């Protein structure tokens, strides 16, 4: 398009127009009433991947994607018919290499001085990038929606109660399972904020949880926990037991957004454990009476004047019956501890004496095993404890120390007063305990790999008994150990 040759403002405007046309990043084309391109700027030619000369003379249908042609044509016809002065649409052009190009097309009709239509002016913006970005966004949104739907389904169908709290402990959402169990602890309804008190009891089934002990309150205060157990429901016959786990939810920047709690019902498990403890307790009870009679008679028999080989066999029988009695009373004790808690008969006792006696009675076994046994005890150390049970703990720690130490090793016992408590340390240079087994040694029937490998006899009950007794006194037993180097068991009892 050439500028008019006569100078003046009109010529300037035409030159300016020509300049804009040449350099505009927006594609421009003049199309005649037959739909053929009569003029095109470099931007549009470039969009189509062609030279400007090639584009001139083409019908717009030749550079339009098949799927968008009908709409484009309809608008064009309406403009020709004078129904539209301008229109705008999103369409695909076809580039010379066959690839489509998404464009935002604005069309305006050009009329002569008499108002007759003689051209249309098309302006074309390449929006391929934008279109692809929109498509990616739409795909990402669809994916998020799919994910949300799946999570929703999982949330509602899992057999575990789920509760989501916001950062102030308000209930944001709970699933069907949790909703179903809410009226056990809260028969009069729940206000939707963590920490509401209800019929929620500790595992003893009697003590109500305080606000600070309620799982939702703990989670709302930022705590995380696993396997927190309690009973819910007023009526002991219909109440249910739950184990709860809480995790905090944080934003990527670490800000606390709230917490999620998972509630799993474990009524059957706890009832089964109760039944098992009752069963073990009554079986041990029933075994103890005849065993006591057997042992009594054996003892009497051993005093009789009998042939040496008979006495020898009687000793074997007695030793085994003794082991059986220890086993049975250990079983009875752990069953009782699990069932009703241990009954304690506390008196003022000189612990130094108790330990000294236990060391004396361990001496023969230590000697037989070639293990040296030394004790460092104060002159007197009085505490209010159940003497018989504490003696049982000390005996157990000493016999383990001797049993799990090889010939040539040593066992050292130290009793001392520490702040508000007494502390008994039993240290040995024995086989030690593997790091991954340390947390299991106090579990019922647990036996360490090294003990089993070396065929050292045992039942795996002694340390559970010892720790039940320590706990019943409000104390603890801890262990430090290194495989092949030895172990230190520390009993701490508050005074
Ligand atoms: P038991 O000695 O009858 O097996 P315990 O409950 O007393 O049962 O001990 C549990 C396990 O802990 C033992 O089987 C053993 O593996 C480990 N253990 C206990 N005391 C010691 C010790 N002093 N040294 C090494 N291992 C020990």
């Amino acid at each position: 398009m050439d500028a008019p040759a006569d100078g003046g403002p009109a010529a300037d405007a035409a030159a300016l127009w020509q300049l804009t046309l040449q350099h505009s990043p927006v594609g421009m084309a003049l199309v005649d009433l037959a739909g053929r391109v009569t003029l095109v700027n470099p931007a549009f030619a470039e969009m189509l991947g062609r030279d400007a000369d090639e584009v001139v003379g083409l019908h717009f249908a030749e550079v339009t994607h098949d799927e968008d042609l009908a709409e484009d044509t309809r608008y064009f016809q309406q403009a020709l018919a004078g129904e539209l002065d301008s229109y705008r649409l999103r369409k695909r052009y076809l580039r010379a290499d066959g690839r489509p190009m998404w464009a935002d097309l604005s069309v305006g009709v050009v009329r002569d001085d008499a108002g007759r239509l003689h051209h249309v002016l098309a302006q074309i913006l390449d929006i391929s990038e934008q279109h692809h970005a929109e498509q990616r966004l739409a795909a990402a949104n669809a994916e998020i929606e799919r994910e949300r739907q799946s999570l929703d389904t999982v949330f509602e169908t899992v057999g575990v109660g789920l509760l989501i709290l916001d950062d102030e402990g308000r209930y944001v959402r709970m699933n069907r399972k949790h909703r179903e169990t809410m009226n056990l602890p809260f028969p009069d309804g729940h206000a939707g904020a963590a920490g509401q008190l209800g019929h929620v009891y500790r595992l003893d089934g009697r003590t109500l949880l305080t606000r600070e002990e309620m799982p939702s309150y703990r989670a709302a205060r930022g705590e995380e926990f696993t396997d927190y157990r309690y009973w819910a429901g007023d009526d002991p016959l219909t109440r249910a037991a739950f184990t709860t786990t809480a995790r905090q939810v944080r934003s990527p920047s670490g800000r606390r957004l709230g917490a999620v709690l998972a509630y799993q019902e474990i009524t059957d498990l706890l009832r089964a454990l109760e039944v098992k403890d009752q069963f073990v307790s009554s079986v041990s009870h029933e075994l103890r009476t005849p065993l006591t009679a057997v042992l009594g008679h054996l003892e009497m028999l051993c005093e009789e004047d009998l042939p040496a080989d008979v006495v020898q066999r009687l000793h074997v029988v007695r030793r085994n019956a003794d082991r059986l009695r220890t086993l049975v009373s250990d079983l009875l004790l752990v069953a009782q501890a699990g069932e009703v808690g241990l009954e304690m008969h506390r008196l003022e006792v000189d612990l130094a004496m108790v330990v000294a006696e236990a060391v004396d009675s361990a001496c023969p076994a230590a000697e037989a095993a070639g293990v040296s046994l030394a004790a460092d005890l104060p002159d007197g150390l009085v505490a209010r404890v159940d003497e018989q049970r504490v003696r049982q703990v000390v005996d157990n720690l000493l016999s383990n120390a001797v049993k799990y130490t090889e010939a040539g090793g040593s066992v050292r016992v130290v009793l001392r007063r520490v702040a508000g408590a007494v502390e008994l340390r039993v240290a040995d240079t024995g086989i030690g305990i593997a790091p991954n087994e340390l947390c299991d040694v106090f579990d019922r029937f647990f036996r360490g790999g090294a003990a089993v490998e070396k065929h050292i006899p045992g039942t795996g009950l002694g340390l559970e008994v010892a720790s039940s007794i320590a706990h019943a006194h409000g104390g603890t037993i801890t262990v430090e150990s290194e495989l092949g180097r030895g172990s230190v068991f520390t009993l701490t009892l508050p005074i």
Side-chain angles (χ1 to χ4, degrees):
M1 185 160 44
D2 294 326
D6 57 331
D12 286 352
L16 197 62
W17 173 239
Q18 183 71 318
L19 203 65
T20 311
L21 206 63
Q22 289 300 316
H23 296 287
S24 170
V26 177
M28 293 187 200
L30 211 52
V31 177
D32 67 17
L33 301 186
R36 297 209 171 266
V37 177
T38 58
L39 196 68
V40 69
N41 77 338
F44 186 44
E46 195 182 319
M47 285 175 199
L48 295 178
R50 299 171 188 264
D51 288 337
D53 295 349
E54 265 181 77
V55 181
V56 172
L58 285 178
H59 191 277
F60 72 84
E62 293 175 82
V63 289
T64 296
H65 193 283
D66 280 353
E67 287 173 27
D68 299 330
L69 187 57
E71 192 186 16
D72 201 0
T73 307
R74 197 175 63 243
Y75 275 122
F76 186 71
Q77 299 295 353
Q78 283 177 307
L80 293 191
E83 293 165 19
L84 293 174
D85 267 345
S86 66
Y87 58 88
R88 189 169 176 181
L89 79 146
R90 224 176 221 225
K91 63 173 274 193
R92 276 160 290 181
Y93 281 97
L94 277 180
R95 294 166 47 87
D97 58 12
R99 283 189 296 132
M101 175 203 73
W102 277 96
D104 180 351
L105 167 69
S106 298
V107 176
V109 299
V110 183
R111 294 178 193 280
D112 61 16
D113 294 342
R116 276 192 310 268
L117 190 70
H118 71 84
H119 267 100
V120 300
L121 174 65
Q123 296 192 68
I124 304 106
L125 251 163
D126 180 351
I127 56 162
S128 301
E129 285 276 321
Q130 182 191 340
H131 180 79
H132 290 133
E134 281 169 6
Q135 276 195 322
R136 281 197 297 275
L137 189 66
N141 280 338
E143 182 60 34
I144 290 172
E145 181 56 20
R146 243 197 321 275
E147 196 111 309
R148 200 184 61 80
Q149 296 274 8
S150 315
L151 285 179
D152 262 4
T153 313
V154 172
F155 190 79
E156 285 303 328
T157 48
V158 282
V160 175
L162 294 171
L163 169 66
I164 302 176
L165 301 178
D166 70 9
D167 59 335
E168 290 182 27
R170 283 182 298 249
Y171 284 28
V172 176
R173 192 171 169 194
M174 68 174 83
N175 69 350
R176 180 186 49 80
K177 185 79 190 169
H178 191 53
R179 221 172 293 122
E180 283 168 6
T181 55
M182 280 288 275
N183 67 330
L184 263 179
F186 307 110
D188 301 326
H190 193 276
Q196 180 173 326
L197 289 176
H199 301 293
V200 186
Y201 299 86
R202 287 194 198 162
L203 283 186
D204 65 10
R206 291 184 294 273
T207 321
L208 278 166
L209 291 197
T210 62
R211 192 167 134 88
E212 286 69 27
E213 289 170 336
M214 292 295 279
S216 58
Y217 190 76
R218 291 179 58 189
R221 294 213 310 191
E223 261 189 75
E224 294 199 334
F225 47 83
T226 302
D227 196 17
Y228 181 51
R229 298 177 176 202
Y230 58 83
W231 286 99
D234 192 22
D235 180 357
L237 288 179
T238 57
R239 64 174 52 150
F242 291 90
T243 172
T244 312
T245 296
R247 291 291 177 269
Q248 299 299 317
V249 183
R250 295 182 194 282
S251 71
S253 64
R255 193 169 64 85
R256 201 177 146 265
L257 301 175
V260 174
L261 287 111
Y263 301 78
Q264 170 127 42
E265 205 198 316
I266 50 164
T267 315
D268 290 347
L269 173 71
L270 288 204
R271 298 259 188 243
L273 286 177
E274 260 173 38
V275 170
K276 188 199 67 179
D277 279 345
Q278 280 162 3
F279 173 76
V280 172
S281 155
S282 54
V283 167
S284 329
H285 232 358
E286 294 306 317
L287 285 176
R288 215 158 52 151
T289 321
L291 251 182
T292 312
V294 169
L295 273 161
H297 285 280
L298 270 174
E299 226 147 275
M300 285 191 289
L301 267 180
C302 288
E303 316 263 292
E304 304 266 322
D305 194 10
L306 293 168
D309 63 328
V310 174
V311 171
Q312 204 189 347
R313 283 174 191 194
L314 279 176
H315 275 301
V316 173
V317 174
R318 197 170 130 191
R319 206 170 51 241
N320 282 290
D322 246 336
R323 274 185 61 190
L324 206 52
R325 181 173 57 180
T326 314
L327 179 62
V328 166
S329 56
D330 280 356
L331 274 176
L332 189 57
L333 191 137
V334 291
Q336 271 173 357
E339 212 182 340
V340 285
L342 286 182
E343 211 179 297
M344 292 281 126
H345 301 287
R346 294 182 188 230
L347 290 171
E348 304 261 305
V349 176
D350 181 3
L351 277 178
M353 204 136 85
V354 174
V355 176
E357 280 172 14
V359 171
D360 279 349
S361 23
C363 271
E367 223 166 273
V371 173
S372 73
L373 178 56
D376 180 358
L377 311 176
D379 289 338
L381 213 176
V382 177
R384 246 185 99 72
V385 296
D386 184 322
E387 177 174 356
Q388 220 190 331
R389 299 232 194 264
V390 169
R391 172 68 194 264
Q392 203 175 345
V393 177
V394 182
D395 281 342
N396 178 264
L397 295 183
L398 280 175
S399 79
N400 274 355
V402 170
K403 192 163 75 168
Y404 295 113
T405 301
E406 283 159 328
S410 65
V411 173
R412 186 175 161 74
V413 183
V414 179
L415 178 71
R416 60 183 190 137
R417 180 187 278 273
V418 292
V422 283
E423 183 191 271
L424 176 77
R425 280 165 65 88
V426 179
D428 64 58
T429 60
I431 62 173
I433 300 163
N436 62 329
E437 292 180 346
L438 274 179
C439 53
D440 299 324
V441 292
F442 298 102
D443 288 351
R444 191 169 305 178
F445 300 123
F446 178 80
R447 305 225 55 224
V452 175
E453 216 171 273
K454 293 182 191 309
H455 303 291
I456 302 173
T459 58
L461 274 172
L463 284 178
E464 192 198 350
V465 169
S467 83
S468 300
I469 294 174
H471 286 137
H473 280 89
T476 55
I477 298 193
T478 55
V479 57
E480 291 159 62
S481 185
E482 210 180 310
L483 204 57
R485 303 292 297 267
S487 315
V488 183
F489 282 84
T490 307
L491 165 72
T492 310
L493 298 176
I495 295 184

